[in-house]
Amino acid sequence: MTADSAKTNAAKTNAATTDAAKTVVSITDLDVSFATDAGTVRAVDGVSLNVAAGEVLAIVGESGSGKTVTAKSILGLLPETATARGAIVLSNRAGTSTNDVLSLSKKQLRGIRGSDVSMVFQEPSTALNPVYTVGWQIAEGLRAHGDYSRAEAKAKAIEILGRVGIPDPKTRVNYYPHQFSGGQKQRVVIAQALVLNPGLIVADEPTTALDVTVQAEILDLLRRCRDEFGTAIVLITHNMGVVADLADRVVVMYQGEVVEEADAVTLFQNPQNDYTKRLLASVPHIGQGVLQTAERASAREASWANAAPVVVADHLRIEYPGRFGRSAFVAVDDVSFEIRAGEVLGLVGESGSGKTTIGRAIGGLTKVSGGSLKVLGHEMNGVRERVFKKTRSDIGFVFQDPASSFNPLLTIAECVAEPLIVHGRARDPRSARKRVDELLEAVQLPASFGDRYPHELSGGQRQRASLARAIALEPSLLIADEPTSALDVSVQARVLELFAELQREFGFAALFISHDLAVVDLLADRIAVLYHGTLVEEGTGAEVLGAPQHPYTQRLLASLPVPDPVEQAARREALHTLRAAQTAAS
Amino acid sequence: MSAETQRPETKPRMQEPRKQSLLARLPVVHQLRQSVGLQRGMLIAGLIITAVYVISAVFAQWIAPYGFAQLRNASGPFGSQQPPSPSHIWGTTVGGYDVFSRVIWGAQTALEVMVVAIILSIFIGVFLGLMSGYLGGWLDRILVVIADAIYAFPSLLLAIVMSIVISGGQSSLWGGIFAAAISITVVYIPQYFRVIRSEAVRIKNEAFVESAMVIGASTPRIMFRHVLRNSTRTLPLIFTLNASEAVLTLAGLGFLGFGIEPTAAAEWGYDLNKSLSDVTSGIWWTAIFPGLAIVLSVLGVTLVGESLNDLADPRLRGRRAVAAAPVAAASDSEPVDVAPVAAKSGDSQ
Amino acid sequence: MSSLTAQAAPETAAESTTSFKKQRTGGGLGRYIVVRFLLIIPTIFILVTLVFFLMRLTGDPITAALGGRLSGSQLHERIHAAGYDRPILVQYFEYLGQIATGNFGTSISDNRPITTILVTYGAATLELAFYALIVAFIVGIPLGMLAAYFRDKGQDAALRVFAILCYATPVFFAGILLKLIFSVWLNVLPVAGRASTGSEFEMQDLPNKTGFYLIDAFQTGDPAVISDVLLHAVLPALTLGLLTAGIFLRLVRTNVIGTLNTDYVDAARSRGVSEYRLVRKHAYKPALIPIITVIGLQIALLLSGAVLTESTFEWKGLGFQLAQYLGARDFVAVQGIVALLAVIVALTNFVVDVAAAIIDPRVRY
């Protein structure tokens, strides 16, 4: 047993000795239905679960599994279009009163919200009111539940901000939300949830909107909520790594029902339900790609390394002009790399690192401001669209958001046929149809899907169709910008598999952009790491992930939670050591 | 349900039949089906009032007992300011016209102006907005400054200036209708321009337009095939708002004496202007009826517009209350989109 | 990820230096005000140019105004004397130069400088607009919040129909209706004008005459005059105020409902904040920012309305005067007043935008 989990247990027994292992919330037979345009939809179906005092219960599931709805109903926060049945019995922290949330009046609900149970939201930048200071917003929760003078409320706000790790809370209590970074905003949101010391916090995807390095810090903070404040947490997430890092017990939901419930270690080591097994198998692991990469490398001919690369970036610089005479914002600075024929380069970075900008520059969507970027022999610095247009048939592009990557008014077949028509390979969608059917088959979609409209396809199906469109002209270069980040993990696994297959079959070179190291590792021959617009490290998967050289890569890698509670506990320790060392060094 | 839905990775989809009938896809009919409760009530009320207005406009010559410029019939002159009576159910004006007939004929004038104004402003405004929003650059900046300047200016004053330009301030039937319609058009082009431009700017950044760009599709192809067709979503709404404003602007012009001559056509604003002095002597019928005609026609069209606006925005749209929920309905792996293509609200003008 | 362009820069900056941040926000506001102020110039320029060329398309203003009354040679003399026979561009640049120095021309029909007309009648219009805005704020904003609070219930529907009726009723018809009811049938309020002749006579000889009748009435210290002036204001203020109130109501309702759907309102709800307070505090202030911007645009509507209201109630302000000149076909005066109003509209919009920027702490242009 590692040091950390020992500490967890200590905290738990500690809580148990003070006020006996009791249940904070107990949900029995919860049904929730929504009225939608398409009729009534049952989102939660017969869910029963208990949360003990001072424990972290993770509710895991993919989109549409009903996990968020279940969590929100604990606070009675369902929209008016929803109706709930069953019982949600919530105790206060002292265990002196219990309430059935579903049968409370609006006024009674207000009484328990914030004091008995509170909530942490997914998107910290929208969960804070932009026109009030954070201190005001924290104080408001206090004053909704008792008599606090202005000064008392402010003092409490300062204290709680300090406890969640906001430096210099005395000054910052008067700051507006936009003056904080994303991670700090989430700390403020957590402070708001903690200020009345509720027995339970519902955290709805609390780290999904954050970068992985910030995610690690927020997870540490949530762990402290449990250990120092003794607060129970219901953690809603789709990320198995996050579950492994934080949860004591796990509930797996699928299509509105609970399919499995177990303590965290058991669940990961010995899943019972088929769905859980599939879900766990779909999660990409670091190190999965090493073998595959070696295999591909050995299969290449010796002359391959000498052939002209498909893409060469040489001291590439990309700026966005500033508004109203502000100085320009440098998105990419002094970046050099190359992509050879048939090779997959994985580009990794957090938000704002410039990875998408590089992809867009290669696709001719963003202007190059300095240095050189050669794409298939064309210099992109100062390129004219008329000259570049012919080359476009050699470049395929897959976008991140499956919801908006197709014109909603055209059928899938019309969309996929578009490159064929634009480049004169077919006169109209009808004459292109044969080729379109072949393409759909290549991405494992039935040909009849061509007659559907984009909204009639699921996200995964749309990304497949998007791949079909990208390879329609058999390009020699494919740019995939986070093609799976909007997808559920099981769907992601299948799309990634398909990508690998297509790459093998068509042999295109690819730039694969992602924020997820494990995903990139799965596909890429080489990995490049971007940080604040500069390239900090580049090499094969084994080099970059096996023995990272740059401190940022080290931190990024260490911050990535792995779907195994025991291993993750060890990694967490390693991250803390690394962070301490790096702070000391700088 | 077709056979292909049994294939792998597709779950049976209960809702969304492949193609709805043409009738059900027509803008207003579709929304009428979608609406519930109070929203439906408002929409239906608006549709009924609008229908009454359009019918009286179209069939004016059969409904109105007299011509709009008729001063006498077989039994002699109508007389001036006569109170309502069986022969003149809403009385006569100071000029000796039959109020009821002029109100009915006035509906026709208003409808004609409305139609001409909207057709003109939609075409010009949509075209300019699309160019400006999609192409951007200097053209965009100049057009935006001009449109904003005109938009911020009192529309009635602009309409007055325009009507002076076009007709010197007074004119015959079609001259007057076109003068009024073009005056209104100039005022409304900036509105269509702004809306379509902002839609075009938004859609330009959607992935499907960028994917057409990386494919190498030509600019006209992208503009008309991808951007234009997706940016006309809000048009029915502005359409109704402008229709009502057109009636008000026409009446305002008429009230200030810049409308159509009473012998050329009936116009509510002109009649109200003439009734201004009647009111002080307690003669109410010359003012009340044309006034109510304006209020009702604007009310009807606005009710339709407001309801369409609400229904287009999933956040404002009311839904039927939940009855007992059939369990099978949610058996789709994807969540059922509660808010598809979240419409942007707040561009309430 | 596609929008890493604009957001990323301030985000990282906020992370690194926080003390610096505050200054930058302040400087940002200053810069915004300057840039926004400079934008007034093209706006005024465009409108003035537009009005000038449009009005000249019809021919020279002297023929329009005096065409029937003077002989051909007299007309030519007048046209030549006023310089309307010179090339249009020469006249245009001369006009621009005049406007830049604050000279908006001289009316033909009564030969008065437009700026004098502004000084004489501007106060009346301003007073009317002020009353109307008070009515609009008092009626429109609370009712809008109420409608948002009761959204989709009966109260909401009633309030919305009220708002649409306010907007659907042309101001002159509303004026006529109110007159008919309160002045003719009930006989409790005066029919027209800004004050009765007696009161006007009493205010005539005040040493510090402002032109704002309410202020002047207080200066006389005569309660009869004060009540007379107030009674005269009731109907015009209601007429113009209700029109604007309807628009405010709709605006406030839509925007408050929009903000009520945001995460931060849900977050506040999860802390146990009451529904009333959610509307009153959380939804209202963020909703105010778009509302203020749109209210800026309503100034244009208010001025249109003022022209019609003043004509209906013989309220002797700029709008009433404009209608008189329109009747007299005095297009120099019309052009001058319209150009002047363009300047006023542009300035008001500037003030409104700056006010919105000050309310919004995120302003960082």
Side-chain angles (χ1 to χ4, degrees):
Chain A
M1 184 164 289
T2 62
D4 212 81
S5 59
K7 204 164 85 191
T8 309
N9 282 355
K12 260 163 94 186
T13 43
N14 195 9
T17 47
T18 46
D19 38 32
K22 57 173 200 290
T23 310
V24 189
V25 65
S26 148
I27 300 179
T28 331
D29 251 338
L30 178 69
D31 287 350
V32 182
S33 304
F34 283 89
T36 70
D37 291 343
T40 305
V41 168
R42 182 171 283 197
V44 174
D45 186 9
V47 165
S48 300
L49 53 86
N50 292 308
V51 183
E55 83 165 342
V56 177
L57 175 78
I59 304 183
V60 191
E62 302 190 328
S63 50
S65 63
K67 56 186 193 301
T68 297
V69 176
T70 307
K72 282 198 163 176
S73 51
I74 299 177
L75 288 97
L77 274 180
L78 295 174
E80 279 170 26
T81 52
T83 41
R85 272 183 309 213
I88 301 176
V89 179
L90 181 76
S91 313
N92 66 356
R93 192 178 190 103
T96 50
S97 78
T98 55
N99 293 298
D100 180 4
V101 175
L102 297 182
S103 60
L104 289 181
S105 72
K106 277 191 171 173
K107 198 170 170 218
Q108 290 167 317
L109 263 181
R110 277 207 301 279
I112 60 155
R113 285 177 188 158
S115 56
D116 292 357
V117 56
S118 60
M119 183 145 179
V120 174
F121 291 79
Q122 171 170 353
E123 183 61 76
S125 48
T126 60
L128 293 168
N129 194 329
V131 300
Y132 292 106
T133 63
V134 296
W136 185 93
Q137 297 185 53
I138 294 174
E140 186 189 33
L142 282 170
R143 287 202 263 165
H145 292 282
D147 270 337
Y148 288 89
S149 72
R150 212 167 270 271
E152 280 167 0
K154 191 167 179 181
K156 274 219 88 162
I158 293 171
E159 184 212 325
I160 199 80
L161 282 175
R163 288 188 74 178
V164 297
I166 299 284
D168 191 15
K170 270 208 182 75
T171 320
R172 296 200 179 196
V173 72
N174 294 325
Y175 276 22
Y176 287 96
H178 74 264
Q179 292 168 292
F180 293 92
S181 71
Q184 284 173 334
K185 270 185 243 179
Q186 194 62 305
R187 285 176 193 271
V188 172
V189 172
I190 293 173
Q192 285 182 346
L194 280 174
V195 72
L196 281 163
N197 202 18
L200 177 68
I201 291 180
V202 174
D204 183 10
E205 303 268 11
T207 60
T208 306
L210 305 173
D211 282 326
V212 64
T213 46
V214 181
Q215 164 174 295
E217 291 168 23
I218 295 298
L219 289 176
D220 281 342
L221 175 61
L222 286 172
R223 197 173 297 108
R224 274 180 43 215
C225 291
R226 177 191 65 191
D227 298 345
E228 288 177 21
F229 293 75
T231 312
I233 297 175
V234 171
L235 173 72
I236 313 298
T237 184
H238 67 281
N239 186 329
M240 296 310 278
V242 168
V243 175
D245 189 58
L246 190 60
D248 299 316
R249 220 150 46 80
V250 185
V251 165
V252 183
M253 284 187 71
Y254 181 61
Q255 296 191 352
E257 295 178 41
V258 171
V259 294
E260 186 161 359
E261 186 178 347
D263 71 85
V265 178
T266 318
L267 184 99
F268 280 96
Q269 284 172 355
N270 191 12
Q272 297 299 313
N273 182 279
D274 283 344
Y275 174 72
T276 316
K277 286 180 194 165
R278 256 189 297 140
L279 191 64
L280 285 172
S282 310
V283 181
H285 295 254
I286 291 253
Q288 277 174 325
V290 176
L291 265 180
Q292 196 187 334
T293 315
E295 200 178 301
R296 284 160 56 98
S298 63
R300 288 196 173 108
E301 293 163 27
S303 63
W304 177 77
N306 302 325
V310 184
V311 177
V312 186
D314 188 22
H315 299 290
L316 174 64
R317 181 183 172 88
I318 301 170
E319 312 176 335
Y320 291 105
R323 274 191 296 178
F324 289 133
R326 268 275 160 79
S327 57
F329 167 62
V330 181
V332 174
D333 190 16
D334 199 23
V335 166
S336 305
F337 63 90
E338 46 187 59
I339 307 174
R340 305 216 180 107
E343 178 191 45
V344 180
L345 176 70
L347 202 54
V348 189
E350 299 187 324
S351 52
S353 64
K355 56 188 192 303
T356 293
T357 306
I358 292 180
R360 292 171 60 87
I362 296 176
L365 288 173
T366 298
K367 269 194 190 138
V368 173
S369 352
S372 151
L373 177 68
K374 278 210 172 77
V375 179
L376 299 164
H378 284 274
E379 175 55 59
M380 299 300 286
N381 193 350
V383 74
R384 289 174 147 264
E385 178 61 28
R386 211 171 303 149
V387 182
F388 190 59
K389 188 174 169 176
K390 280 214 184 72
T391 320
R392 288 193 179 280
S393 66
D394 257 344
I395 303 174
F397 215 114
V398 181
F399 289 88
Q400 171 179 5
D401 183 7
S404 72
S405 54
F406 286 100
N407 186 338
L409 301 174
L410 302 180
T411 64
I412 293 294
E414 285 171 317
C415 291
V416 175
E418 186 148 33
L420 300 168
I421 297 166
V422 166
H423 288 278
R425 311 280 166 89
R427 235 175 340 100
D428 53 56
R430 199 171 310 161
S431 60
R433 189 55 200 257
K434 201 170 154 284
R435 173 74 181 135
V436 169
D437 287 350
E438 287 171 22
L439 286 165
L440 289 178
E441 199 180 322
V443 297
Q444 297 158 16
L445 284 177
S448 59
F449 269 45
D451 298 321
R452 298 197 169 188
Y453 285 92
H455 73 271
E456 296 174 302
L457 268 58
S458 69
Q461 288 164 347
R462 259 176 279 181
Q463 277 316 52
R464 284 158 189 271
S466 191
L467 271 171
R469 178 173 57 185
I471 61 169
L473 297 166
E474 303 199 5
S476 48
L477 173 65
L478 189 91
I479 299 154
D481 184 5
E482 303 249 22
T484 61
S485 65
L487 304 178
D488 278 328
V489 63
S490 58
V491 181
Q492 161 173 292
R494 278 179 296 200
V495 172
L496 291 176
E497 239 167 69
L498 175 68
F499 185 90
E501 250 169 62
L502 289 174
Q503 204 271 333
R504 256 198 308 279
E505 193 180 326
F506 293 90
F508 47 75
L511 179 70
F512 193 96
I513 299 166
S514 179
H515 67 280
D516 189 336
L517 274 173
V519 167
V520 169
D521 174 45
L522 213 56
L523 291 175
D525 295 304
R526 280 182 307 120
I527 296 175
V529 182
L530 279 175
Y531 180 56
H532 287 333
T534 56
L535 200 145
V536 295
E537 190 153 358
E538 196 205 332
T540 63
E543 288 163 8
V544 173
L545 304 179
Q549 299 302 308
H550 193 274
Y552 173 70
T553 320
Q554 291 167 354
R555 207 165 67 237
L556 187 67
L557 189 63
S559 301
L560 187 75
V562 298
D564 178 347
V566 180
E567 191 190 336
Q568 177 56 24
R571 284 176 60 92
R572 193 162 57 226
E573 282 308 304
L575 173 64
H576 291 163
T577 326
L578 177 73
R579 227 190 269 151
Q582 284 186 1
T583 320
S586 67
Chain B
M1 187 127 333
S2 48
E4 78 252 15
T5 49
Q6 308 307 322
R7 298 279 190 97
E9 218 200 296
T10 67
K11 304 262 160 40
R13 295 186 155 255
M14 307 296 289
Q15 63 278 5
E16 50 192 34
R18 297 302 322 286
K19 281 221 165 154
Q20 293 168 312
S21 70
L22 183 67
L23 181 72
R25 280 187 295 158
L26 283 175
V28 175
V29 179
H30 170 69
Q31 270 102 359
L32 185 59
R33 291 184 166 200
Q34 205 179 29
S35 59
V36 289
L38 279 173
Q39 277 175 359
R40 176 170 236 169
M42 283 175 69
L43 181 56
I44 290 176
L47 287 172
I48 290 174
I49 297 173
T50 310
V52 169
Y53 161 61
V54 171
I55 288 170
S56 19
V58 172
F59 300 104
Q61 65 191 105
W62 291 288
I63 298 172
Y66 308 105
F68 52 82
Q70 198 174 342
L71 288 168
R72 53 170 60 242
N73 61 3
S75 52
F78 295 159
S80 172
Q81 297 181 332
Q82 295 300 309
S85 66
S87 54
H88 300 285
I89 53 168
W90 289 352
T92 62
T93 70
V94 64
Y97 300 113
D98 176 54
V99 173
F100 177 64
S101 301
R102 279 192 65 88
V103 167
I104 298 293
W105 283 105
Q108 192 172 58
T109 313
L111 187 69
E112 280 161 356
V113 169
M114 204 159 99
V115 169
V116 175
I118 286 174
I119 289 176
L120 287 177
S121 46
I122 275 192
F123 279 105
I124 302 173
V126 167
F127 180 73
L128 288 178
L130 187 66
M131 297 274 288
S132 187
Y134 183 73
L135 298 178
W138 278 108
L139 174 82
D140 180 43
R141 273 176 231 177
I142 291 168
L143 284 176
V144 166
V145 173
I146 293 178
D148 279 356
I150 296 179
Y151 186 77
F153 196 68
S155 58
L156 183 69
L157 296 189
L158 200 63
I160 290 171
V161 172
M162 282 311 295
S163 90
I164 292 174
V165 173
I166 294 164
S167 61
Q170 50 199 310
S171 48
S172 59
L173 171 60
W174 280 103
I177 284 177
F178 268 97
I182 292 172
S183 318
I184 294 166
T185 301
V186 172
V187 176
Y188 294 145
I189 286 175
Q191 298 190 7
Y192 286 96
F193 171 84
R194 282 162 67 108
V195 170
I196 295 295
R197 180 187 170 276
S198 67
E199 282 283 284
V201 167
R202 179 180 68 81
I203 291 166
K204 189 167 91 169
N205 294 315
E206 295 265 318
F208 70 84
V209 172
E210 298 206 314
S211 73
M213 282 183 200
V214 292
I215 281 166
S218 64
T219 305
R221 186 183 166 94
I222 297 176
M223 262 172 64
F224 291 101
R225 192 173 166 85
H226 295 296
V227 181
L228 176 61
R229 286 183 59 193
N230 282 294
S231 54
T232 50
R233 202 168 38 103
T234 47
L235 277 188
L237 167 67
I238 326 169
F239 178 90
T240 55
L241 286 176
N242 279 3
S244 52
E245 281 179 59
V247 175
L248 289 175
T249 309
L250 176 70
L253 281 176
F255 184 77
L256 289 176
F258 280 79
I260 300 155
E261 291 288 287
T263 47
E267 204 277 303
W268 295 331
Y270 175 89
D271 288 358
L272 275 171
N273 184 12
K274 293 294 160 215
S275 75
L276 203 51
S277 49
D278 298 352
V279 170
T280 24
S281 46
I283 297 171
W284 53 271
W285 56 89
T286 53
I288 295 285
F289 295 113
L292 281 181
I294 300 177
V295 173
L296 282 178
S297 54
V298 175
L299 178 70
V301 180
T302 311
L303 277 175
V304 174
E306 284 258 301
S307 313
L308 291 184
N309 185 31
D310 283 6
L311 292 170
D313 189 334
R315 296 177 308 173
L316 296 178
R317 186 166 68 225
R319 293 192 178 82
R320 286 181 183 81
V322 183
V327 180
S331 67
D332 199 306
S333 66
E334 288 280 301
V336 178
D337 258 18
V338 181
V341 198
K344 243 192 163 149
S345 86
D347 72 7
S348 39
Q349 19 190 310
Chain C
M1 249 329 284
S2 60
S3 60
L4 91 174
T5 49
Q7 296 156 359
E11 187 70 32
T12 42
E15 197 145 349
S16 52
T17 44
T18 37
S19 55
F20 176 61
K21 187 80 204 131
K22 259 218 157 122
Q23 295 169 352
R24 224 179 65 157
T25 312
L29 187 62
R31 176 198 294 267
Y32 175 76
I33 292 175
V34 170
V35 170
R36 183 64 190 79
F37 186 77
L38 290 178
L39 277 175
I40 296 179
I41 295 167
T43 309
I44 294 176
F45 172 76
I46 288 166
L47 286 171
V48 164
T49 306
L50 199 73
V51 170
F52 178 86
F53 283 104
L54 286 176
M55 299 293 279
R56 277 318 144 77
L57 278 179
T58 43
D60 72 280
I62 293 192
T63 316
L66 309 168
R69 277 175 277 166
L70 295 176
S71 72
S73 59
Q74 279 175 309
L75 214 55
H76 273 290
E77 226 168 82
R78 288 286 299 267
I79 291 173
H80 185 74
Y84 290 124
D85 53 352
R86 291 172 300 161
I88 186 98
L89 278 181
V90 174
Q91 294 182 47
Y92 170 61
F93 285 116
E94 186 188 79
Y95 183 63
L96 279 189
Q98 283 174 355
I99 283 191
T101 54
N103 176 3
F104 286 83
T106 306
S107 69
I108 296 175
S109 51
D110 52 6
N111 203 23
R112 284 199 292 177
I114 303 300
T115 36
T116 315
I117 298 176
L118 171 78
V119 173
T120 323
Y121 298 103
T125 302
L126 214 60
E127 195 173 2
L128 175 63
F130 174 72
Y131 293 144
L133 275 178
I134 289 180
V135 172
F137 276 115
I138 290 179
V139 175
I141 290 180
L143 288 186
M145 283 164 67
L146 217 58
Y149 181 77
F150 288 112
R151 100 191 89 148
D152 294 332
K153 303 220 171 70
Q155 294 94 325
D156 178 32
L159 285 169
R160 296 182 68 188
V161 170
F162 168 73
I164 296 175
L165 273 176
C166 284
Y167 158 85
T169 313
V171 281
F172 43 90
F173 180 54
I176 289 173
L177 267 185
L178 290 172
K179 257 189 191 185
L180 199 60
I181 297 170
F182 292 101
S183 310
V184 179
W185 289 344
L186 300 178
N187 200 13
V188 288
L189 289 167
V191 177
R194 294 179 65 196
S196 57
T197 336
S199 308
E200 286 197 334
F201 184 76
E202 229 179 289
M203 290 185 286
Q204 195 82 61
D205 300 320
L206 283 171
N208 303 322
K209 225 173 89 186
T210 57
F212 292 92
Y213 273 20
L214 189 59
I215 299 175
D216 289 352
F218 274 105
Q219 284 191 33
T220 65
D222 182 349
V225 176
I226 297 175
S227 78
D228 180 58
V229 164
L230 282 175
L231 284 178
H232 273 86
V234 171
L235 291 185
L238 272 182
T239 303
L240 188 53
L242 284 181
L243 167 78
T244 325
I247 289 165
F248 283 13
L249 197 163
R250 277 163 44 145
L251 261 175
V252 171
R253 177 185 177 274
T254 320
N255 281 296
V256 168
I257 287 180
T259 38
L260 276 176
N261 279 309
T262 53
D263 273 1
Y264 54 77
V265 169
D266 237 6
R269 193 176 280 134
S270 82
R271 300 197 292 273
V273 176
S274 70
E275 289 297 312
Y276 171 76
R277 198 178 157 86
L278 288 179
V279 173
R280 178 75 191 79
K281 285 279 180 187
H282 280 270
Y284 179 58
K285 201 170 162 193
L288 209 57
I289 295 161
I291 290 172
I292 286 184
T293 316
V294 183
I295 283 176
L297 292 172
Q298 301 311 322
I299 298 297
L301 188 100
L302 197 70
L303 282 173
S304 288
V307 173
L308 296 169
T309 312
E310 288 178 10
S311 303
T312 313
F313 287 99
E314 288 165 50
W315 183 277
K316 298 216 168 62
L318 272 183
F320 179 78
Q321 212 53 37
L322 180 69
Q324 298 295 308
Y325 286 126
L326 281 170
R329 312 274 151 208
D330 183 345
F331 293 156
V332 175
V334 172
Q335 182 183 329
I337 294 177
V338 168
L340 198 67
L341 290 179
V343 175
I344 294 173
V345 166
L347 284 173
T348 329
N349 279 332
F350 161 71
V351 172
V352 165
D353 279 359
V354 169
I358 290 171
I359 289 191
D360 187 352
R362 287 165 298 181
V363 168
R364 42 155 62 131
Y365 280 90

